[in-house]
Amino acid sequence: MKKKKWRSSALVDPMNKKVIKAYCTDYVRDAIPEIYLWRNKVAAHFAATDPFNDDTLGSLEQSIMNPVSYKHPYYYVGVFKWNTQGTSANLPRWALTETYERLRKRYWPEMTLRSFPQKTE
């Protein structure tokens, strides 16, 4: 808005809405592509309820199940790949906490997560 010298009222202009949506979508795809994909295929709605032409059967079926896996020090989704009828899910592996730590350096450098003591045997 600052770059284009828009006021809030500019947000309701249909042409501006298209520019804003395209810019924000491109930004998120560049900054956190794995989260963007999971948001569109699993979190916001299942890919199975709004299938795209390039969605594999594996992706459509995996979109309705979210197995979570742990690999120190993060919990991940997408480690398990669903395979069905010769197709595989193409959802990438990602961990919310790992992504936060990567983005924190740029966006929230003062906000660190608390460390947990490691169990030793």
Side-chain angles (χ1 to χ4, degrees), residues 68-95:
V68 176
S69 304
Y70 180 76
K71 183 176 179 192
H72 180 74
Y74 304 112
Y75 286 95
Y76 290 90
V77 291
V79 172
F80 171 77
K81 295 293 181 194
W82 187 253
N83 297 291
T84 187
Q85 295 183 12
T87 68
S88 297
N90 56 5
L91 294 168
R93 180 185 84 137
W94 77 279

Side-chain angles (χ1 to χ4, degrees), residues 31-43:
I32 48 174
E34 65 280 8
I35 295 176
Y36 178 79
L37 186 58
W38 273 87
R39 180 251 178 233
N40 288 343
K41 300 295 179 188
V42 179

Side-chain angles (χ1 to χ4, degrees), residues 37-52 55-67 80-82 89-91:
L37 186 58
W38 273 87
R39 180 251 178 233
N40 288 343
K41 300 295 179 188
V42 179
H45 56 77
F46 302 133
T49 65
D50 186 19
F52 287 15
D55 286 335
T56 65
L57 180 57
S59 290
L60 296 174
E61 289 183 349
Q62 187 171 354
S63 79
I64 58 176
M65 59 182 115
N66 291 317
F80 171 77
K81 295 293 181 194
W82 187 253
N90 56 5
L91 294 168

Side-chain angles (χ1 to χ4, degrees), residues 18-44:
K18 289 179 183 180
V19 170
I20 294 165
K21 183 173 175 95
Y23 177 85
C24 291
T25 299
D26 290 345
Y27 183 83
V28 171
R29 281 183 182 159
D30 289 343
I32 48 174
E34 65 280 8
I35 295 176
Y36 178 79
L37 186 58
W38 273 87
R39 180 251 178 233
N40 288 343
K41 300 295 179 188
V42 179

